[in-house]
Amino acid sequence: MTNPTVYLRVNRVDASICAQAQEVTVADLHESTSHLAYNGLMSPRMRRITPGAKVAGPAVTAWCQPGDNLMMHRALRLANPGDVLVVHCQGETSAAQWGDVATTYAMAKGLAGVVVQGCVRDTDAVTGWGFPVWATTIWPIHADKGKGGGVNIPISCADVWVRPGDLVVADGDGVVVIPRAEAAGVVNAALAKMRREADIQEAIRGGATAWDLSGAAKSYESMGVVEHDKAFDD
């Protein structure tokens, strides 16, 4: 059996890029990755647990054995302020990876948030404190702390590969992961998209229509649609 593997250091995406990423949405970031041969959008099973939460930060990763969250705790111990802890539990519903004790420690450390493929619990307390949590499952099943796994290694989380130091951005739409080397370009493209959409929204407030400004009108006209100025059943 392979020994557990833990890397103590992480080459993180630059903090200035993380700060810029706080200003844009997961949707804008995802649309700005179309040039990459990499789809960083996590499965829709990954849902925001804490209402209103938004995070952007470098990934610290943990891979946990079924029924166990030892490596999550090791990753949490190694994490820096502003990091996003990303956890994969092999045996997704076998043990709660996150709860009130971990949250208390994470808040004391200044962790940005946590993303878990697996179970989280104590959600009334955790969401009441406002700590940002995304997870695939809520279930209070007990976790042991005696099995191996890995920390700060590449992991798959909700169908997306996450490498230590990658940019993780999460909001109400879901979670997107952007490779560290691509993060600056993707964030800048998303910021530009956000500015264009702000101009469109301002034009709509001035009387323009989304039908025209979105490109829907031009596309519709090219389709040869037959319109009838009457009800279907007249």
Side-chain angles (χ1 to χ4, degrees):
M1 182 176 178
T2 304
N3 289 337
T5 302
V6 174
Y7 288 89
L8 302 180
R9 299 182 185 276
V10 173
N11 294 318
R12 291 171 169 83
V13 62
D14 191 84
S16 64
I17 298 173
C18 296
Q20 288 180 309
Q22 286 277 7
E23 304 301 317
V24 292
T25 67
V26 165
D28 285 341
L29 285 164
H30 173 59
E31 288 191 32
S32 299
T33 63
S34 59
H35 64 290
L36 302 178
Y38 175 84
N39 178 15
L41 192 63
M42 288 191 182
S43 163
R45 295 188 302 114
M46 184 64 72
R47 304 305 301 162
R48 182 171 65 181
I49 306 301
T50 307
K54 164 76 183 289
V55 297
V60 169
T61 64
W63 186 85
C64 297
Q65 294 275 6
D68 198 271
N69 69 357
L70 177 64
M71 291 299 164
M72 181 284 290
H73 277 280
R74 185 57 179 149
L76 177 57
R77 178 67 181 86
L78 294 172
N80 286 349
D83 285 345
V84 178
L85 179 57
V86 182
V87 182
H88 174 106
C89 179
Q90 187 74 15
E92 193 165 325
T93 60
S94 63
Q97 293 295 310
W98 194 262
D100 54 1
V101 172
T103 298
T104 300
Y105 184 57
M107 293 177 72
K109 291 198 71 169
L111 199 74
V114 64
V115 176
V116 180
Q117 180 177 331
C119 304
V120 297
R121 69 180 191 179
D122 304 319
T123 55
D124 289 343
V126 172
T127 59
W129 298 335
F131 185 76
V133 177
W134 286 255
T136 55
T137 309
I138 297 174
W139 207 26
I141 189 166
H142 169 75
D144 294 325
K145 294 172 177 61
K147 296 180 181 178
V151 172
N152 288 327
I153 60 173
I155 65 171
S156 175
C157 185
D159 303 330
V160 168
W161 278 103
V162 186
R163 295 164 181 80
D166 283 351
L167 176 62
V168 180
V169 184
D171 61 17
D173 286 341
V175 182
V176 66
V177 180
I178 302 167
R180 179 166 56 94
E182 308 290 346
V186 171
V187 170
N188 284 332
L191 287 166
K193 182 177 184 296
M194 181 183 70
R195 289 191 288 268
R196 291 194 300 272
E197 290 185 349
D199 290 341
I200 290 172
Q201 291 164 8
E202 187 61 29
I204 290 171
R205 295 185 187 99
T209 69
W211 177 248
D212 292 306
L213 294 176
S214 68
K218 183 177 180 181
S219 178
Y220 186 81
E221 289 169 4
S222 70
M223 295 174 66
V225 177
V226 178
E227 294 188 339
H228 302 276
D229 189 16
K230 63 180 181 178
F232 171 76
D233 53 357
D234 281 352

